[in-house]
Amino acid sequence: MQSDDANMAGNVHGGTILKMIEEAGVIISTRYCNSKNGERCVAALARVERTDFLSPMCNGEVAHVSAEITYTSKHSVEVQVHVMSENILTGTKKLTNKATLWYVPLSLKNVDKVLEVPPIVYSRLEQEEEGRKRYEAQKLERMETNWRNGDIVQPVFNPEPSTVSYSQSSLIHLVGPSDCTLHGFVHGGVTMKLMDEVAGIVAARHCKTNIVTASVDAINFHDKIQKGCVITISGRMTFTSNKFMEIEVLVDADPVVDNSQKRYRAASAYFTYVSLNQEDKPLPVPQLMPETEDEKKRFEEGKGHYVQMKAKQQGHTEPQP
């Protein structure tokens, strides 16, 4: 990890880690889907399950990223990725991330054609049944995802501190060849890195301290983003607890070179950040002050997300940031 991978405090950006995770996932899933004779394809990221940042990774450490295919359906591949950090001076290694990603194989000849996935051979019968349950659960969640087609983050002049408008941020990016796959569509990892960058700006504006990514709720990719599109990544604070900040991030794509297609929602997710002092200890977060009815509604939704997150953490022993 180099200086440009980390923030001013030396903590590696969550988006950098997410991009590495996605690169490992797309390599193993594309390799697997092309392991049998047939039409060639490239795996496209469809969804990232909730990802917790279990321990900070620092500038100067070495990242070890390992990926494993754990389930296949007829048209999708589940990949589980682990990230370890290594201090090469002391030899100390620690687990920083665990993530589950879902990919679909798209034909190289026709990007709208989803190919069949070769069935995986399981070492235990239980593995297939457990994988099928995870597949059905994520499929249901994708169908129930509450993302707003017409909801756009609008700028507000002279907002008050600690309000949603005060910290909301947007980034505009022109999609170039280096951002894209062989199909000419944006890598999922590139999109996630930009989303984390915007979420980090929102969190830093709100608390004005060093901030790090604590977790990412499920990221859903609603539609592909083509080379030449202008994408707008917008973030806004939705909820704060004593130590956590939840930020909603929306990605909209504008196909400026194609007049026949209108602006559309391409991806959405919720990021959770924590504020840290100089010793990397959590600091209290200034409480968000929602003003409009819509902001108050999102605050209540965020409170529900927070309660669910705490309930899940009670069943785990991994250290939290």
Side-chain angles (χ1 to χ4, degrees):
M1 294 291 101
Q2 304 295 329
S3 297
D4 56 353
D5 297 317
N7 61 19
M8 291 181 291
N11 303 118
V12 175
H13 294 296
T16 299
I17 297 174
L18 289 171
K19 189 170 184 288
M20 290 191 297
I21 288 173
E22 201 277 330
E23 287 172 349
V26 74
I27 289 171
I28 192 172
S29 53
T30 298
R31 180 184 290 156
Y32 177 78
C33 291
N34 287 284
S35 61
K36 306 294 183 182
N37 292 329
E39 193 170 343
R40 295 306 172 191
C41 64
V42 172
L45 182 62
R47 176 179 166 91
V48 181
E49 301 291 358
R50 177 182 171 84
T51 303
D52 289 307
F53 289 72
L54 306 173
S55 180
M57 186 181 296
C58 299
N59 182 19
E61 292 184 331
V62 175
H64 298 258
V65 186
S66 59
E68 178 187 12
I69 292 175
T70 49
Y71 179 76
T72 59
S73 68
K74 186 177 181 180
H75 295 294
S76 62
V77 180
E78 181 192 53
V79 179
Q80 293 189 5
V81 181
H82 288 71
V83 182
M84 302 282 295
S85 66
E86 177 191 2
N87 185 320
I88 56 176
L89 300 180
T90 64
T92 303
K93 292 183 179 180
K94 56 186 177 182
L95 179 67
T96 63
N97 295 81
K98 294 191 295 184
T100 301
L101 304 90
W102 292 90
Y103 289 85
V104 293
L106 303 180
S107 168
L108 280 177
K109 297 179 180 178
N110 179 6
V111 71
D112 294 318
K113 181 181 179 182
V114 179
L115 302 181
E116 291 192 12
V117 176
I120 192 173
V121 178
Y122 301 96
S123 58
R124 295 182 294 108
L125 291 177
E126 296 84 356
Q127 287 179 313
E128 183 174 9
E129 182 58 31
E130 292 166 357
R132 184 179 294 110
K133 290 179 180 178
R134 294 193 301 271
Y135 169 75
E136 294 297 337
Q138 67 86 26
K139 187 177 178 181
L140 180 62
E141 285 186 19
R142 278 182 61 82
M143 293 175 62
E144 294 177 346
T145 298
N146 183 23
W147 57 285
R148 308 170 178 89
N149 265 320
D151 199 10
I152 299 174
V153 178
Q154 300 286 358
V156 175
F157 296 100
N158 299 320
E160 293 294 324
S162 298
T163 62
V164 175
S165 301
Y166 184 79
S167 59
Q168 68 183 27
S169 304
S170 295
L171 183 153
I172 298 175
H173 178 76
L174 174 63
V175 175
S178 62
D179 299 321
C180 297
T181 66
L182 296 174
H183 281 117
F185 293 94
V186 177
H187 285 287
V190 171
T191 304
M192 290 193 293
K193 190 173 188 296
L194 292 170
M195 294 172 79
D196 178 74
E197 184 176 337
V198 170
I201 293 172
V202 173
R205 278 181 167 173
H206 180 76
C207 61
K208 301 187 185 303
T209 61
N210 176 35
I211 48 87
V212 294
T213 314
S215 65
V216 183
D217 208 346
I219 303 175
N220 288 295
F221 293 83
H222 308 297
D223 209 339
K224 300 182 290 292
I225 304 172
Q226 194 167 12
K227 180 174 63 179
C229 281
V230 173
I231 56 175
T232 302
I233 306 97
S234 304
R236 59 188 166 200
M237 191 82 63
T238 52
F239 173 76
T240 55
S241 66
N242 184 41
K243 294 183 180 179
F244 292 93
M245 295 169 279
E246 182 189 74
I247 296 135
E248 181 184 30
V249 182
L250 308 172
V251 181
D252 296 309
D254 188 2
V256 292
V257 295
D258 184 1
N259 293 329
S260 65
Q261 194 173 5
K262 297 181 180 179
R263 180 185 176 114
Y264 60 93
R265 178 63 40 81
S268 60
Y270 287 93
F271 286 70
T272 301
Y273 275 77
V274 293
S275 172
L276 301 179
N277 62 18
Q278 293 182 347
E279 288 76 38
D280 286 340
K281 300 297 183 182
L283 288 171
V285 172
Q287 291 306 291
L288 183 67
M289 296 188 297
E291 297 176 299
T292 68
E293 289 303 317
D294 191 40
E295 290 172 359
K296 292 175 182 177
K297 180 180 178 182
R298 284 197 295 267
F299 188 89
E300 291 302 317
E301 291 174 352
K303 186 184 294 185
H305 299 160
Y306 174 73
V307 171
Q308 291 175 4
M309 178 188 71
K310 296 297 288 184
K312 290 180 180 179
Q313 287 180 355
Q314 289 177 358
H316 294 74
T317 58
E318 293 99 350
Q320 296 301 310

